[in-house]
Amino acid sequence: MIYLVCSIFLDPNYTNKHFQTSVSLQDDDNLLSSQTNLDHVVFGIASNELSWSKRKEYVKLWWKPNRMRGCVFLDEIPSNGTNDESLPPICISEDTSDFRYTHKGGTPSAIRVARVVSETVALNHSNVRWFVFGDDDTIFFPENLVKTLSKYDHGLWYYIGTNSESFMQNKFFSYEMAFGGAGFAISYPLAKVLAKVFDSCIERYPHLYGSDGRIHACLTELGVGLTHEPGFHQMDFHGNVFGMLVAHPIRPLVSMHHVEEIDPIFPNMTTLKALEHLYNAASFDPHRILQQTVCYDRWFSWTVSVSWGYAVQVFDKHMLLPNVQRVQESFAPWKKSYLDELYDFDTMKYEFDPCLRQLVYFLDKVSSGTNGTEAIYRKKTSEKCKFDMSSPRRLKKIRVLSNKLVLDKQQLLAPRRHCCDVLPSTSGTVMEIGIRECKEDELIYMQR
């Protein structure tokens, strides 16, 4: 069996209290009984020297240098020759040229990226519960990541992630493979065993396309299947992903991928600024970010959908809740063919004519006070559409009031959507929404 340990490239003055080489036992009673947090997670981020100079800006959005452990794995020492302390340490991957790669449509670098798993384990960090892997254009929401992982017993063998949104991507690769761009997590005891057998295993899979396929194959040989978590997002789309973001499932938002392949998620911003805007909202209420809440204005028969921290939609008609939750096809498929327009979730038409579709108010700012969190949403585009005073087009801004969402284990295991109310407003151009927990037997529907 070939077992290679990566070399580490660090600035001589760089210090990190978490970067250790000793192995500690994982069966400490206090460790097992305490709440999972970021100190228990080690990250392995796959990159290369050419892309890292740009994509490191995405990693800066979520990396917490004083709390996180792990490495960014590059194929060679970066040309600038320095390591930024606001980013993960840089590890240089070992040579994988001795491994066979026979897939005609791919690149042998998939083997190097696959071995990020075993090389991350070989760093021998102490007090580890989970190893989390992703690409350099994968953005994580750390508070939601650890909250999601806390549902599971880290002492058992777990392989947690998601597949693609694209029907054809899943059919071609596997519905039971965690797509690497979305990110995935492997529990400590499983990762230790996987690292021992990984090199001998991937020798049997030279024909596979990517790194995640090799990892999936080896975990399958160990008898472990994928635990699906819908908070991870592969994002196999192009263009405007508005429809997917406003219909997020009732799960914490854990990750997003392909941020360079999609339009900026907020209008009139660059991709990076738009993501910074989303992270700013998440800093106020991380577990609520993108969570969809629906309520009705019975006086005007409006349907209001709040995707917290992102956008509020106001439909000038009554829409049943199951229809509001369907994903609007605002995006373009990953590949251009009829079958690639098929998705593995419920979709509905997206109206591209701004005068025919619902009103959308994007997040402007968030603040917190003694009465909870206040989020202001405004229209970011102007349309020359005819309307009367019964139309929601007269609204200039929407104020959403809520308390910080705190998820306990019961809510994580058996989530329930929150309810909201259209509150009395002091202005005909302002709508106020209050988000709250639903009553025990409360139904979300248009009351007449």
Side-chain angles (χ1 to χ4, degrees):
M1 180 180 72
I2 302 172
Y3 192 72
L4 304 177
V5 180
C6 73
S7 58
I8 304 165
F9 178 77
L10 296 175
D11 186 274
N13 298 318
Y14 181 84
T15 58
N16 188 330
K17 65 179 181 179
H18 293 303
F19 202 84
Q20 304 173 31
T21 57
S22 61
V23 183
S24 66
L25 297 177
Q26 302 293 308
D27 58 356
D28 182 84
D29 290 338
N30 292 327
L31 178 64
L32 291 173
S33 62
S34 63
Q35 183 72 26
T36 294
N37 58 56
L38 282 176
D39 295 331
H40 301 130
V41 179
V42 171
F43 291 86
I45 306 301
S47 184
N48 60 70
E49 196 273 334
L50 289 176
S51 70
W52 180 238
S53 61
K54 178 179 180 181
R55 289 183 172 177
K56 65 184 180 183
E57 299 303 320
Y58 301 128
V59 177
K60 282 183 181 180
L61 291 170
W62 58 269
W63 183 260
K64 299 179 185 299
N66 295 322
R67 294 203 59 194
M68 290 182 171
R69 298 181 290 173
C71 257
V72 172
F73 287 82
L74 304 182
D75 51 347
E76 58 183 89
I77 296 173
S79 57
N80 59 18
T82 60
N83 195 76
D84 187 337
E85 292 192 19
S86 66
L87 290 165
I90 293 172
C91 291
I92 306 303
S93 301
E94 286 289 339
D95 180 25
T96 56
S97 59
D98 288 340
F99 291 89
R100 291 188 305 135
Y101 185 88
T102 61
H103 193 288
K104 294 182 179 179
T107 170
S109 65
I111 298 172
R112 180 187 72 84
V113 173
R115 293 193 77 260
V116 166
V117 171
S118 57
E119 292 181 0
T120 300
V121 174
L123 295 174
N124 285 337
H125 286 290
S126 61
N127 294 341
V128 181
R129 295 185 179 184
W130 298 95
F131 292 96
V132 174
F133 304 96
D135 292 344
D136 53 8
D137 62 340
T138 306
I139 59 172
F140 290 100
F141 291 79
E143 293 84 357
N144 293 341
L145 171 66
V146 295
K147 182 61 72 170
T148 297
L149 295 178
S150 70
K151 293 192 301 184
Y152 301 98
D153 184 344
H154 55 274
L156 303 179
W157 285 15
Y158 274 110
Y159 166 47
I160 300 172
T162 193
N163 46 34
S164 175
E165 300 83 2
S166 165
F167 168 78
M168 285 303 296
Q169 289 287 98
N170 292 328
K171 289 292 288 184
F172 183 80
F173 293 106
S174 173
Y175 275 91
E176 294 305 312
M177 180 188 83
F179 278 62
F184 59 93
I186 301 178
S187 59
Y188 175 86
L190 175 57
K192 292 292 285 186
V193 174
L194 177 64
K196 291 179 182 178
V197 303
F198 195 64
D199 285 350
S200 64
C201 174
I202 61 176
E203 292 281 11
R204 291 185 285 279
Y205 297 96
H207 60 284
L208 294 182
Y209 170 77
S211 58
D212 38 18
R214 286 167 170 78
I215 296 163
H216 167 242
C218 295
L219 286 167
T220 300
E221 289 193 358
L222 284 171
V224 178
L226 177 64
T227 298
H228 293 260
E229 269 294 341
F232 292 84
H233 295 284
Q234 174 67 11
M235 306 280 284
D236 280 339
F237 307 114
H238 292 288
N240 180 6
V241 296
F242 167 84
M244 194 207 75
L245 298 183
V246 294
H248 195 274
I250 316 175
R251 297 292 192 282
L253 171 64
V254 175
S255 70
M256 294 167 59
H257 184 221
H258 285 147
V259 292
E260 291 179 332
E261 302 296 331
I262 61 175
D263 296 342
I265 61 174
F266 288 100
N268 308 318
M269 293 185 184
T270 64
T271 294
L272 190 60
K273 288 295 182 184
L275 292 173
E276 289 174 350
H277 195 47
L278 187 69
Y279 273 95
N280 179 63
S283 69
F284 287 87
D285 198 346
H287 304 324
R288 195 182 292 280
I289 195 74
L290 291 192
Q291 291 299 291
Q292 185 186 25
T293 311
V294 178
C295 48
Y296 297 92
D297 187 322
R298 64 189 181 95
W299 300 110
F300 295 104
S301 293
W302 295 345
T303 302
V304 183
S305 173
V306 180
S307 299
W308 195 89
Y310 179 55
V312 177
Q313 303 172 84
V314 183
F315 300 84
D316 62 356
K317 58 186 176 182
H318 173 213
M319 292 185 64
L320 295 170
L321 184 60
N323 293 329
V324 184
Q325 294 176 14
R326 295 166 73 92
V327 175
Q328 301 167 63
E329 292 191 39
S330 59
F331 38 77
W334 187 243
K335 295 183 179 179
K336 295 182 179 179
S337 76
Y338 169 72
L339 290 176
D340 284 295
E341 295 179 4
L342 300 178
Y343 302 101
D344 276 315
F345 44 74
D346 292 333
T347 64
M348 62 183 291
K349 177 185 177 183
Y350 177 72
E351 182 57 68
F352 285 92
D353 185 340
C355 294
L356 297 178
R357 67 170 175 250
Q358 73 274 18
L359 270 294
V360 179
Y361 299 78
F362 287 97
L363 179 72
D364 183 52
K365 60 182 178 181
V366 183
S367 60
S368 60
T370 56
N371 295 323
T373 303
E374 177 183 278
I376 303 297
Y377 301 79
R378 299 181 187 273
K379 284 189 288 186
K380 300 297 184 181
T381 58
S382 58
E383 307 97 11
K384 296 181 179 178
C385 307
K386 295 180 180 180
F387 64 93
D388 55 33
M389 291 308 294
S390 65
S391 169
R393 294 186 182 280
R394 61 184 170 81
L395 296 173
K396 293 184 178 180
K397 73 176 182 178
I398 297 177
R399 181 182 295 116
V400 177
L401 308 173
S402 61
N403 291 319
K404 189 172 182 178
L405 179 60
V406 179
L407 296 176
D408 57 25
K409 193 164 187 177
Q410 178 179 338
Q411 292 168 311
L412 286 166
L413 292 172
R416 185 187 182 191
R417 191 179 303 277
H418 273 191
C419 289
C420 63
D421 304 297
V422 178
L423 304 175
S425 177
T426 57
S427 170
T429 60
V430 178
M431 174 183 281
E432 292 188 350
I433 302 291
I435 297 178
R436 56 176 173 80
E437 290 187 11
C438 297
K439 300 173 184 176
E440 183 177 0
D441 60 350
E442 184 172 1
L443 300 174
I444 303 173
Y445 73 102
M446 175 73 79
Q447 300 182 30
R448 299 185 182 278

